Amino acid sequence: MILSIINKKGGVGKTPISFSLAKDLGYYLQSNDNSVIESIYPDMAKITEHPSLIENCIYDFGGFVDAGVLQIIKESDVVMIPCSIDYNSILRTVETIEEIQPHAKAIVVIITKVEKEGDFQTTKAAIAQHFDEIEFFELRLSKVFKNTIETGLSISELYNETPLSKNAYKTVYKQYLNILNLFTND
Ligand SMILES: Nc1ncnc2c1ncn2[C@@H]1O[C@H](COP(=O)(O)OP(=O)(O)OP(=O)(O)O)[C@@H](O)[C@H]1O
Ligand SMILES: [Mg+2]
């Protein structure tokens, strides 16, 4: 499977989400955007201005959409667009979807940094009014996203570490599994 994660808005969670999914799926990870993925995911992650199209890979795309990015978007089975709950993120996300949707086979929006009751529904409604056929998922504000990048462990690995971590990450892990399970066969 080929998966892409993209949003021109920064700080929405592209890198922690793509890294964790890649590690849990045993997939390669490529990015056109600088981050620590090559050191935390050796031999599997690569940062390059021109990512190459390979099977079993997740692409973490920051910045603007050039021809090379668009080519990989077209070949992706699913394009994930993380969007945090702030107004600016919603605006940039709508722009990103407008640019991507004509080329993508399937788009999934992941509402990130959800803090309180209603955040998910409000953000979802603000985006959904512009588009058809988009599926929405949510990920609550959590330390697990910082920890996945700092430790090089996936969200599943962090969750499974100790009884204490299972308790701390219970809700966000369940939300994360809803996304991971889109790409596994059980
Ligand atoms: N639910 C969440 N989903 C994603 N990130 C979250 C969440 N909750 C908190 N965070 C934090 O938000 C930040 C988002 O990650 P990051 O800044 O790497 O995103 P990005 O989209 O890759 O940005 P950039 O375009 O700058 O590379 C991280 O510091 C992460 O720990
Ligand atoms: Mg990033």
Side-chain angles (χ1 to χ4, degrees):
M1 199 144 27
I2 295 165
L3 305 174
S4 290
I5 187 156
I6 188 168
N7 197 330
K8 42 186 161 190
K9 179 82 176 68
V12 294
K14 295 182 293 289
T15 302
I17 296 168
S18 56
F19 162 68
S20 183
L21 288 173
K23 195 162 190 208
D24 281 335
L25 293 166
Y27 277 22
Y28 296 105
L29 177 59
Q30 292 190 65
S31 183
N32 63 354
D33 204 13
N34 210 22
S35 72
V36 299
I37 54 168
E38 285 178 332
S39 57
I40 62 171
Y41 200 31
D43 303 328
M44 297 296 281
K46 191 175 172 184
I47 295 172
T48 162
E49 250 187 90
H50 304 288
S52 56
L53 187 64
I54 53 172
E55 190 49 42
N56 298 328
C57 187
I58 300 190
Y59 296 86
D60 169 8
F61 289 133
F64 84 110
V65 184
D66 66 19
V69 170
L70 202 58
Q71 181 58 34
I72 292 170
I73 292 291
K74 285 178 180 166
E75 297 295 330
S76 297
D77 296 283
V78 179
V79 178
M80 288 172 273
I81 306 185
C83 174
S84 52
I85 59 175
D86 55 292
Y87 183 63
N88 204 262
S89 174
I90 294 169
L91 284 183
R92 303 306 299 276
T93 298
V94 169
E95 285 171 24
T96 301
I97 299 171
E98 279 170 346
E99 216 170 321
I100 295 304
Q101 197 173 40
H103 310 282
K105 295 178 192 168
I107 290 181
V108 156
V109 171
I110 304 170
I111 310 295
T112 60
K113 304 189 185 178
V114 167
E115 288 182 72
K116 51 188 195 306
E117 186 80 35
D119 280 349
F120 174 63
Q121 285 307 333
T122 307
T123 308
K124 176 181 165 173
I127 297 169
Q129 62 171 331
H130 301 279
F131 308 101
D132 297 327
E133 292 184 52
I134 290 181
E135 235 189 304
F136 289 85
F137 292 86
E138 68 179 305
L139 291 172
R140 76 184 327 193
L141 185 77
S142 167
K143 289 194 292 275
V144 82
F145 299 95
K146 179 169 166 270
N147 290 343
T148 192
I149 291 299
E150 282 183 3
T151 62
L153 297 172
S154 72
I155 292 168
S156 303
E157 289 169 331
L158 288 169
Y159 171 80
N160 283 304
E161 268 191 321
T162 63
L164 209 66
S165 62
K166 281 192 178 165
N167 192 50
Y169 298 143
K170 194 178 163 148
T171 305
V172 72
Y173 178 63
K174 208 173 140 197
Q175 294 174 335
Y176 171 75
L177 273 190
N178 287 334
I179 300 165
L180 181 64
N181 286 339
L182 292 172
F183 315 120
T184 57
N185 288 326
D186 41 72

